[in-house]
């Protein structure tokens, strides 16, 4: 069952039944039959449709933001900001389509060859609730431009976002057999992946979902892109203005109520700054991030996306404290709704679960490192490798540290961001493949070598 429950109140608003097996079959048949016509359209035509989608997303930003606030508790202003990035992504792929899909001549021994950029067919997208519009956009915009067709299974707590996105695309001119939303349950996914008409799958979500989908896709030799969890390190080497550094790093961690895969989750601070950093950060978190109504633009700390998510994060905090971590502030669930106090934990050691697991909520872990080298060791001592950030005033030193971080992305003096033209993705248990930028259009592309 898909359902909408307002996380600010815990009140169930709507239930949407799952698609039946027949409906799922019909959806697969649609994206399969739509593929031949869509791939035959010129790049310019497909780009024009994607460009129109960008305009419509911009026009409907308020409506989409309100849906996200209701479904998963996103602060209304963050929802509008999210739609802004969606617009950037659709514009980026529309504006760069011709250049990204141009034939590439290659000099070869004894002749000439060219690499052409072709679609591979109907794809399945499985998307999460934390950025209901942005996560879909990263997958959909490049693949529509490329000529693939898409069956989209959204998170079961986001049926209204799923429907609204499909409407935007339809109104922009995406044919109804080129992008199809399905309310399939995750139990129906193996059958979709087994279907020979589906050529690949992109999933953003938890490690468990990634493992399950990758296993099924592997069984049927389907190309897979996975964007999973992260426990990104944020290294503070020195600071020209510690108040500003604390403010900026707290903002990055608390964005989207801490429910971002690439939020900085482990602050690693060099010893000479550590005590002052922890004191200032604790004060900032306790005083500034006060819970409120997510539809009020003044609110700083909205609820988490669901009661289950809030309970899980509260349990992780409690377990960390039981295992010996120091709770500097926060930690308490607030009811009704899915609220959790913004939290700071210190003295987390490798013997505790919190050291290695991802905490998907408004919780900051702060670690002390005696040296730059130790900071790098702590940063890399994680099963994840999504993003990282390095903060300091010496550009050469920042870069030296960045080069040693095991992650798909490193940001210098900023954290947790994403932009249309910069590839996004991770290594280790954070997943495989890249989205956004030129790399994002290549994942489900047949780079065909033609020897001339
Ligand atoms: P899930 O991974 O369960 O959900 C993400 C998407 O995957 C949803 O559409 C979900 O469907 C689907 N899904 C779940 N299990 C399967 C499966 N076995 N086969 C196919 N599809 C599946 O995330 P949760 O909502 O449970 O969040 C749990 C944790 O995941 C978070 O605490 C966080 O650590 C991580 N996460 C990471 C995200 C990221 O941005 N990388 C985003 C969201 C979560 P359905 O909703 O129907 O279950």
């Amino acid at each position: 069952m898909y359902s909408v429950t307002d996380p600010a109140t815990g009140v169930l608003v709507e239930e949407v039944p799952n698609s039946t097996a027949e409906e799922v079959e019909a959806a697969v048949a649609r994206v399969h039959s739509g593929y031949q016509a869509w791939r035959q359209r010129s790049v310019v035509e497909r780009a024009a449709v994607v460009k129109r989608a960008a305009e419509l997303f911009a026009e409907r930003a308020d409506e989409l933001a309100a849906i996200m606030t209701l479904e998963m508790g996103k602060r209304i202003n963050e929802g509008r900001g999210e739609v802004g990035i969606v617009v950037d992504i659709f514009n980026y792929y529309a504006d760069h389509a011709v250049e990204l899909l141009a034939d590439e001549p290659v000099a070869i021994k004894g002749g000439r060859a060219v690499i052409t950029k072709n679609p591979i067919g109907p794809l399945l997208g499985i998307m999460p609730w934390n950025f209901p519009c942005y996560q879909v956009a990263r997958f959909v915009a490049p693949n529509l431009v490329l000529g693939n067709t898409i069956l989209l299974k959204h998170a079961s707590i986001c049926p209204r976002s799923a429907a609204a996105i499909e409407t935007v695309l339809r109104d922009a001119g995406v044919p109804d057999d080129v992008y199809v939303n399905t309310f399939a349950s995750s139990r129906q996914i193996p059958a979709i992946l087994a279907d020979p008409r589906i050529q690949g799958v992109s999933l953003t979500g938890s490690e468990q979902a990634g493992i399950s989908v990758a296993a099924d896709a592997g069984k049927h030799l389907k190309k897979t892109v996975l964007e999973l969890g992260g426990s990104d390190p944020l290294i503070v080497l020195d600071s020209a203005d510690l108040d500003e550094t604390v403010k900026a790093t707290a903002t990055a961690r608390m964005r989207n109520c801490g429910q971002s895969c690439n939020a900085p989750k482990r602050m690693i601070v060099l010893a000479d700054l550590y005590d002052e950093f922890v004191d200032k950060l604790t004060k900032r978190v306790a005083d500034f991030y006060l819970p409120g109504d997510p539809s009020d633009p003044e609110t700083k700390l909205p609820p988490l996306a669901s009661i289950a998510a809030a309970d899980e994060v509260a349990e992780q905090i409690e377990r960390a404290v039981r295992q010996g971590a120091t709770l500097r502030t926060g930690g308490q669930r607030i009811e009704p709704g899915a609220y959790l106090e913004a939290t700071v934990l210190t003295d987390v050691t490798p013997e505790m679960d919190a050291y290695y697991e991802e905490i998907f909520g408004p919780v900051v872990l702060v670690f002390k490192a005696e040296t730059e080298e130790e900071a790098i060791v702590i940063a890399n001592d994680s099963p994840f490798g999504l993003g990282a950030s390095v903060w300091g005033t010496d550009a050469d030193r920042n870069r030296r540290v960045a080069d040693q971080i095991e992650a798909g992305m490193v940001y210098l003096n900023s954290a947790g961001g994403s932009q249309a033209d910069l590839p996004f993705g991770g290594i280790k248990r954070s997943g495989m493949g890249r989205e956004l930028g030129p790399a994002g259009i290549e994942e489900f592309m047949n780079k065909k070598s033609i020897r001339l």
Side-chain angles (χ1 to χ4, degrees):
M1 182 73 81
Y2 282 61
S3 60
V4 178
T5 300
D6 182 351
T9 59
V11 172
L12 176 68
V13 177
E14 186 188 0
E15 289 187 319
V16 179
N18 282 130
S19 301
T20 62
E22 293 70 28
E23 285 165 343
V24 171
E25 157 57 32
V28 172
R30 262 165 74 192
V31 290
H32 178 248
S33 74
Y35 174 59
Q36 290 309 331
W38 185 243
R39 69 166 304 182
Q40 297 303 338
R41 290 219 205 167
S42 72
V43 174
V44 172
E45 271 182 87
R46 291 196 300 261
V49 172
V50 168
K51 188 79 186 167
R52 178 72 187 128
E55 289 167 4
L56 291 182
F57 274 112
E59 279 172 22
R60 296 180 197 174
D62 287 349
E63 179 197 328
L64 290 162
I67 292 173
M68 292 190 277
T69 297
L70 174 67
E71 283 183 332
M72 47 70 67
K74 192 181 295 277
R75 293 195 299 117
I76 191 77
N77 285 353
E78 284 193 317
R80 293 190 189 110
E82 177 174 338
V83 180
I85 303 176
V86 169
V87 173
D88 287 350
I89 294 171
F90 276 81
N91 275 328
Y92 171 80
Y93 284 108
D95 294 346
H96 293 82
V98 170
E99 139 208 349
L100 291 169
L101 300 180
D103 291 354
E104 210 178 288
V106 231
I108 56 166
K109 214 167 142 186
R112 284 183 310 127
V114 68
I115 294 172
T116 64
K117 317 281 177 69
N118 307 276
I120 62 169
L123 307 174
L124 172 65
I126 303 175
M127 293 298 146
W129 41 262
N130 61 340
F131 292 94
C133 293
Y134 158 79
Q135 308 279 23
V136 174
R138 295 194 304 189
F139 170 57
V140 167
N143 283 300
L144 287 181
V145 160
L146 175 57
N148 291 317
T149 57
I150 289 159
L151 179 63
L152 203 291
K153 181 240 173 290
H154 216 313
S156 51
I157 65 169
C158 295
R160 291 192 183 177
S161 294
I165 291 166
E166 189 179 43
T167 303
V168 168
L169 296 173
R170 198 70 73 243
D171 293 349
V174 177
D176 64 5
D177 53 6
V178 166
Y179 180 94
V180 178
N181 181 69
T182 174
F183 290 125
S185 78
S186 52
R187 281 188 305 280
Q188 291 168 299
I189 298 299
I192 300 175
L193 291 171
D195 192 305
R197 293 169 291 187
I198 296 292
Q199 299 301 322
V201 57
S202 179
L203 174 135
T204 299
S206 63
E207 252 185 282
Q208 278 322 308
I211 289 166
S212 167
V213 166
D216 281 315
K219 233 187 284 174
H220 302 284
L221 298 175
K222 303 286 166 75
K223 169 77 198 244
T224 308
V225 168
L226 299 175
E227 210 274 87
L228 309 176
S231 189
D232 291 5
L234 181 155
I235 298 179
V236 182
L237 296 170
D238 63 74
S239 177
D241 182 336
L242 197 60
D243 288 325
E244 279 307 312
T245 301
V246 164
K247 197 170 148 191
T249 57
T251 302
R253 178 63 185 110
M254 295 299 162
R255 192 178 292 145
N256 208 35
C257 201
Q259 302 163 112
S260 307
C261 47
N262 68 330
K265 298 184 178 115
R266 296 177 295 138
M267 313 295 187
I268 304 165
V269 184
L270 288 198
D272 52 347
L273 284 183
Y274 176 83
D275 288 335
E276 204 183 342
F277 184 93
V278 170
D279 288 347
K280 286 181 186 292
L281 180 77
T282 302
K283 190 162 169 23
R284 175 80 186 165
V285 165
D287 294 351
F288 187 76
Y289 291 98
L290 302 175
D293 176 354
S295 62
D296 178 350
E298 296 305 314
T299 288
K300 301 296 182 277
L301 188 73
L304 280 85
S306 65
I307 304 279
D311 286 344
E312 185 181 336
V313 176
E315 191 278 328
Q316 286 177 292
I317 297 167
E318 195 219 299
R319 183 154 34 90
V321 172
R322 210 176 339 114
Q323 292 177 346
T326 304
L327 180 68
R328 299 280 180 154
T329 185
Q332 293 304 309
R333 276 275 282 116
I334 304 164
E335 292 178 298
Y339 289 93
L340 175 71
E341 286 176 349
T343 301
V344 177
L345 288 171
T346 58
D347 308 305
V348 174
T349 64
E351 292 70 38
M352 303 171 194
D353 298 331
Y355 189 89
Y356 290 115
E357 69 189 5
E358 178 181 32
I359 301 185
F360 217 58
V363 182
V364 200
L365 272 53
V366 195
F367 297 84
K368 187 198 290 186
E370 295 302 328
T371 61
E372 179 184 311
E373 290 70 28
E374 194 193 0
I376 294 165
V377 169
I378 297 171
N380 289 338
D381 187 13
S382 167
F384 300 105
L386 188 56
S389 66
V390 182
W391 294 67
T393 53
D394 177 342
D396 291 340
R397 189 184 189 199
N398 293 347
R399 179 56 203 271
R400 184 173 72 221
V401 172
D403 285 342
Q404 294 176 75
I405 303 282
E406 295 167 1
M409 309 170 278
V410 186
Y411 294 77
L412 305 182
N413 290 318
S414 69
S418 173
Q419 60 188 73
D421 50 3
L422 186 65
F424 187 111
I427 58 169
K428 302 195 297 197
R429 296 185 79 83
S430 293
M432 56 185 82
R434 290 291 179 271
E435 300 191 277
L436 301 178
I441 202 167
E442 294 181 4
E443 293 289 350
F444 297 103
M445 176 187 280
N446 173 17
K447 293 182 193 165
K448 191 189 289 178
S449 298
I450 302 184
R451 195 183 192 289
L452 301 169

